[in-house]
């Protein structure tokens, strides 16, 4: 998810949530139920839409009041863990599917299978439900998803004469490498990879080349193994930075938004970013700046890429699970899901919502993103217990060193596989 630096605000949010206590008691003296909905919306447009939907629900359901609680992506995992262990979790929990596994296996989230209405279940594709399914149970409703795309400077592309890719005819990873070399010139790099958080980018884009990295055996245990497909994306990025010098080394330590000033200034011809970054481009680009949205490169598995959709879950300790799911069902009606998607500049998971004409316009790249929706798959690490520790302690430093040229491919493999399996083994005893 978006790793925005709002440390002070995150700490204040976590403290406020603990002080206010658990949502969903047994109802007030008048019999009215109160549900606490912790939202992680952060952009003003998205926050406004979430609050408006809560207001609409409350107006139509006077006996089931929903209280909006503002959370933060920066602190959500630790804050939720603290609130779960303290018996103070909100009833309805906004999170991302790649953060749910430990909570699901730990018994903190309700299995939604007996609670979900058929319309909601049938309206979201199986591939999306897979992202929130752990050990056969469904622990979140996936509702917003974000493909990774290339945001490119239109003038530089046209002047270079390179072939412009489309979802129907994307660049291969080999062609992409050649294109970035051609786009590189005096004072300009063909691409800037913002890899302050390199793991999800590497794993999710790796699906296009047949990469998987995590493999579940017949005994249900997961191990790390690095095959040929797993090496395509990291190898391409490494070579762009260290061999071709077509990717900016200084961008490796940046977050996505940090690359935008250089992109607007012509220092980078393209930047691989999450689909929602289009909003920042629209808001921050200088007048007259021309940009376009291109699909990420394709491999032997086409345009496949992993995603970790935003999810809505229900706390296992909530005494009002049925009412919480009723609110989720309201929030994710197709028309409302479109409102949420547009507010976050992302794609809805729902089939009917995704078909909305407003999400298929050429304006601001909506059509390109919508065309990629059918290629989105569950992120490789989705159901892996111990993934957060593997990511933070093993994969992040190893990939950062590999991309900078400090270690070679053999050392990268050793770190990810050998050291990684030691970490995962502790969670699977």
């Amino acid at each position: 998810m978006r790793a925005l630096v709002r440390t002070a605000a995150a700490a204040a949010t976590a403290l406020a949530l603990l002080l206010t206590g658990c949502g969903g008691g047994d109802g007030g003296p008048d019999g009215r139920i109160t549900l606490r909905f912790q939202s992680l919306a952060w952009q003003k447009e998205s926050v406004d839409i979430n609050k408006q939907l809560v207001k609409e629900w409350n107006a139509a359901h006077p006996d089931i009041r929903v209280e909006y609680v503002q959370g933060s992506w920066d602190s959500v995992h630790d804050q939720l863990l603290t609130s779960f262990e303290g018996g103070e979790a909100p009833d309805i929990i906004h999170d991302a599917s790649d953060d749910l596994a430990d909570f699901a296996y730990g018994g903190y989230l309700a299995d939604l299978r007996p609670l979900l209405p058929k319309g909601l279940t049938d309206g979201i594709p199986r591939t999306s439900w897979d992202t929130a399914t752990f050990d056969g149970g469904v622990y979140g409703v996936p509702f917003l998803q974000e493909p990774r795309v290339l945001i490119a400077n239109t003038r530089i592309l046209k002047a270079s004469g390179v072939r412009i890719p489309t979802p129907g005819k994307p660049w291969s990873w080999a062609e992409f490498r050649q294109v970035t070399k051609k786009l590189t010139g005096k004072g300009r790099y063909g691409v800037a990879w913002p890899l302050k958080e390199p793991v999800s980018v590497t794993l999710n884009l790796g699906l296009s080349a047949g990469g998987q990295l995590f493999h579940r055996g017949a005994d249900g245990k997961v191990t790390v193994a690095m095959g040929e497909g797993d090496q395509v994306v990291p190898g391409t990025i490494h070579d762009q930075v260290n061999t071709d010098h077509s990717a900016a080394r200084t961008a490796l330590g940046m977050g996505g938004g940090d690359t935008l000033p250089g992109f607007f200034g012509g220092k980078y011809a393209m930047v691989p970013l999450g689909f929602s970054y289009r909003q920042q481009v629209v808001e921050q680009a200088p007048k007259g700046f021309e940009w376009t949205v291109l699909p990420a490169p394709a491999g032997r598995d086409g345009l496949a890429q992993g995603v970790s959709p935003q999810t809505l879950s229900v706390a296992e300790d909530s005494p009002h699970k049925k009412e919480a799911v009723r609110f989720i069902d309201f929030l994710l009606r197709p028309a409302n899901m479109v409102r949420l998607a547009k507010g976050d500049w992302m794609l809805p998971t729902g089939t009917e919502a995704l078909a909305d004409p407003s999400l298929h316009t050429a304006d601001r790249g909506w059509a390109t993103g919508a065309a990629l929706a059918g290629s989105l798959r569950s992120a490789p690490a989705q159901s892996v217990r111990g993934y957060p520790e593997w990511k933070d302690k093993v994969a992040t430093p190893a990939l950062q060193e590999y991309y900078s040229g400090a270690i070679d491919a053999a050392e990268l493999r050793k770190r990810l596989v050998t050291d990684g399996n030691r970490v995962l083994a502790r969670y699977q005893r």
Side-chain angles (χ1 to χ4, degrees):
M1 299 307 299
R2 285 162 274 199
L4 304 176
V5 182
R6 296 184 295 275
T7 307
T13 297
L15 178 60
L17 288 166
L18 289 174
L19 291 175
T20 54
C22 180
D26 293 325
D30 58 358
R32 184 173 68 173
I33 292 171
T34 297
L35 302 171
R36 294 178 68 80
F37 165 40
Q38 179 175 311
S39 170
L40 301 181
W42 62 274
Q43 299 178 97
K44 182 181 184 304
E45 186 178 358
S46 181
V47 171
D48 289 346
I49 290 169
N50 275 271
K51 288 183 175 180
Q52 178 59 33
L53 286 169
V54 168
K55 184 178 180 180
E56 292 173 14
W57 166 272
N58 287 337
H61 302 82
D63 295 333
I64 308 173
R65 180 177 179 274
V66 172
E67 181 180 339
Y68 182 94
V69 178
Q70 186 63 62
S72 167
W73 285 112
D74 288 332
S75 63
V76 65
H77 184 87
D78 291 341
Q79 175 262 313
L80 282 176
L81 185 60
T82 301
S83 64
F84 283 136
E85 292 179 344
E88 299 175 330
D91 300 274
I92 302 148
I93 298 164
H94 181 190
D95 203 351
S97 59
D98 62 354
D99 193 41
L100 299 184
D102 288 346
F103 296 142
Y105 287 118
Y108 296 122
L109 300 178
D111 182 354
L112 301 178
R113 287 176 299 173
L115 301 170
L116 292 171
K118 180 174 172 54
L120 183 57
T121 301
D122 293 346
I124 296 175
R126 182 71 255 168
T127 51
S128 292
W129 285 114
D130 287 344
T131 66
T133 300
F134 307 97
D135 199 25
V138 174
Y139 295 93
V141 181
F143 70 106
L144 293 181
Q145 55 191 348
E146 180 175 27
R148 194 162 292 271
V149 295
L150 298 172
I151 298 182
N153 184 312
T154 302
R155 292 183 180 178
I156 294 175
L157 280 184
K158 288 181 177 178
S160 71
V162 300
R163 181 180 74 83
I164 307 299
T166 65
K169 293 185 177 180
W171 288 325
S172 66
W173 282 100
E175 185 178 7
F176 172 61
R177 181 180 171 186
Q178 294 306 312
V179 165
T180 57
K181 289 169 67 175
K182 191 167 184 178
L183 295 177
T184 299
K186 186 176 181 180
R188 184 178 73 223
Y189 293 95
V191 66
W193 284 96
L195 293 174
K196 183 178 181 180
E197 302 287 343
V199 182
S200 64
V201 177
T202 305
L203 295 183
N204 291 340
L205 290 180
L207 287 185
S208 67
Q212 188 65 30
L213 207 63
F214 296 99
H215 303 269
R216 191 176 295 276
D219 59 359
K221 293 185 177 181
V222 176
T223 56
V224 185
M226 199 167 183
E228 183 179 345
D230 296 301
Q231 301 174 49
V232 173
V233 171
T236 300
I237 298 172
H238 173 275
D239 290 346
Q240 286 174 322
V241 173
N242 298 286
T243 303
D244 306 336
H245 306 293
S246 61
R249 182 180 301 275
T250 54
L252 294 176
M254 295 181 181
D258 299 332
T259 62
L260 293 181
F263 176 61
F264 298 145
K267 186 176 180 180
Y268 318 127
M270 296 184 292
V271 185
L273 293 171
F275 195 53
S276 64
Y277 275 93
R278 295 169 303 128
Q279 181 180 26
Q280 292 186 46
V281 174
V282 168
E283 293 176 346
Q284 299 174 19
K287 186 176 181 180
F289 183 79
E290 297 180 17
W291 59 282
T292 189
V293 176
L294 308 175
R300 76 182 196 195
D301 288 350
L303 287 167
Q305 60 173 281
V307 291
S308 299
Q310 293 185 23
T311 55
L312 294 172
S313 302
V314 176
E316 175 60 31
D317 285 347
S318 172
H320 304 297
K321 296 182 182 66
K322 290 183 179 179
E323 291 81 3
V325 171
R326 282 182 61 191
F327 173 70
I328 291 174
D329 185 44
F330 162 79
L331 204 64
L332 302 186
R333 290 174 183 173
N336 291 343
M337 197 184 285
V338 172
R339 292 165 67 184
L340 291 167
K342 294 175 76 172
D344 246 332
W345 290 65
M346 298 175 76
L347 299 175
T349 59
T351 304
E352 185 176 341
L354 187 61
D356 189 279
S358 66
L359 303 181
H360 292 262
T361 64
D363 182 50
R364 299 173 178 177
W366 279 108
T368 298
L372 299 176
S375 299
L376 302 181
R377 303 287 183 267
S378 177
Q382 210 68 69
S383 61
V384 178
R385 297 203 68 182
Y387 169 72
E389 181 178 344
W390 175 84
K391 179 186 72 172
D392 293 342
K393 295 184 178 179
V394 177
T396 294
L399 285 168
Q400 287 174 335
E401 289 181 50
Y402 176 63
Y403 289 143
S404 70
I407 62 173
D408 61 14
E411 179 63 18
L412 175 67
R413 178 194 294 270
K414 174 183 176 295
R415 300 254 201 107
L416 295 182
V417 177
T418 306
D419 297 350
N421 280 325
R422 290 196 190 101
V423 170
L424 298 189
R426 287 194 283 102
Y427 288 82
Q428 303 180 96
R429 289 170 182 161

